[in-house]
Amino acid sequence: MPDKYQNAFEQDSMAQMCTSLDEWLATPLGQHLLARESAYFDSVVANVFGFNAVQIGHPEFDLLRNCRIPQRYRVGYDGTVALRADVELLPFASQSMDLVVIPHTLEFAAHPHQVLREVERILMPEGHLIISGFNPRSLWGASRWLKQREGGFPWCGRFITLPRLKDWLSLLGFETQGGRMCCYTPPFSQTKWLQRFAFMEAAGDRWWAMGGGVYFIEAVKRVQGMRLIMPNWREPAVKSAALTPAARNVVNLNQYRKLKHPNE
């Protein structure tokens, strides 16, 4: 490795360790990630409709700002939130949400399976789920392997591979509908190095589509065998009374006799 790149990695490893993911998102690398994630969420949530939406985790960043759903909530452990709650025990009624957004929550949850089960419970049939996570099969994943002993965010998290996450969603009845990746640049902590490697963002989508440091996945909750029965608003509430065919024939016969024998 050239000396200048080696020095960049050494300076990055000596950077101050952050005590929370929100603190790390304020660093140059965190801002680099947040800009790309915000752009993705803004474009995706605008196409989801319904009545209720919730963002689970990192409420300091409003990822539902471009959503057209009227009732939007942000849930977190602390900070300025609409609802302070445990993400593994969500205080929402079953089948009450049309959209759930989970930004980098599963990697730092003690029981990520339980978080997904709660999400499945509160989502309505055909409800949408959008997840962002760190990809362990990337340069970011390699950096985590080198830095996890030092601690600090986000390298202390348990990165989940995309195939494993899809398996979990499939077992819960979700159908994957789309997604993409971003952050192909090496995870440098300094802005100048991120700018020098910015060309990798466009090249990664084309030549290394599965090597992004962050992945997004969109899924829909499916309920097998469900059929929505709606009232037939066009059918009149009370049908008009009508004579039976036999009665109609009797009436027509009487009219015929009166016409033929008016004096009777």
Side-chain angles (χ1 to χ4, degrees):
M1 180 182 294
D3 292 340
K4 60 179 181 179
Y5 298 151
Q6 181 67 34
N7 293 335
F9 279 107
E10 290 177 356
Q11 292 174 6
D12 183 72
S13 63
M14 291 185 295
Q16 182 180 2
M17 292 293 115
C18 299
T19 58
S20 69
L21 184 60
D22 294 332
E23 182 181 345
W24 176 80
L25 289 173
T27 65
L29 181 58
Q31 291 295 307
H32 174 80
L33 165 64
L34 189 60
R36 282 151 182 80
E37 287 207 1
S38 298
Y40 177 82
F41 280 107
D42 286 346
S43 63
V44 174
V45 300
N47 299 321
V48 182
F49 300 92
F51 297 96
N52 298 287
V54 59
Q55 173 184 329
I56 301 175
H58 312 297
E60 291 81 2
F61 309 99
D62 187 4
L63 301 177
L64 295 173
R65 60 188 179 184
N66 207 34
C67 183
R68 304 181 187 182
I69 295 177
Q71 300 296 329
R72 300 186 295 270
Y73 310 94
R74 282 181 281 173
V75 177
Y77 293 112
D78 51 18
T80 305
V81 296
L83 183 63
R84 187 171 300 177
D86 187 348
V87 296
E88 297 179 6
L89 296 171
L90 297 173
F92 294 109
S94 299
Q95 300 185 6
S96 61
M97 293 293 161
D98 299 282
L99 170 64
V100 177
V101 172
I102 309 180
H104 299 291
T105 302
L106 298 178
E107 300 99 317
F108 306 98
H111 305 285
H113 303 84
Q114 177 60 26
V115 177
L116 290 177
R117 280 193 289 266
E118 279 292 277
V119 170
E120 189 276 335
R121 180 184 66 82
I122 67 174
L123 263 178
M124 295 184 63
E126 306 301 316
H128 290 256
L129 170 63
I130 306 174
I131 302 174
S132 65
F134 292 105
N135 181 18
R137 299 176 180 176
S138 65
L139 294 176
W140 290 54
S143 181
R144 170 187 174 270
W145 183 78
L146 295 172
K147 298 178 181 180
Q148 59 183 348
R149 293 183 179 180
E150 302 174 5
F153 285 83
W155 318 116
C156 62
R158 293 177 293 180
F159 293 4
I160 303 171
T161 62
L162 188 57
R164 176 176 295 182
L165 180 57
K166 288 183 177 181
D167 287 341
W168 292 354
L169 293 175
S170 178
L171 290 173
L172 291 173
F174 285 93
E175 179 182 335
T176 303
Q177 283 201 330
R180 63 160 300 175
M181 290 195 175
C182 71
C183 296
Y184 296 92
T185 58
F188 294 117
S189 294
Q190 298 182 4
T191 304
K192 65 177 182 179
W193 290 105
L194 292 172
Q195 294 174 348
R196 290 184 183 182
F197 284 83
F199 68 92
M200 295 182 65
E201 292 295 333
D205 278 333
R206 183 174 182 181
W207 302 109
W208 196 19
M210 300 303 294
V214 174
Y215 58 73
F216 304 98
I217 184 170
E218 306 167 38
V220 176
K221 177 182 175 181
R222 302 297 190 191
V223 178
Q224 299 297 330
M226 184 192 69
R227 179 181 179 185
L228 296 178
I229 301 177
M230 302 297 294
N232 187 1
W233 301 109
R234 296 184 179 181
E235 183 179 358
V238 179
K239 295 183 178 180
S240 59
L243 297 175
T244 62
R248 290 177 181 173
N249 292 337
V250 173
V251 173
N252 293 338
L253 180 60
N254 293 333
Q255 291 178 351
Y256 174 76
R257 288 177 178 176
K258 289 181 179 181
L259 293 174
K260 189 174 183 180
H261 306 284
N263 296 328
E264 293 182 0

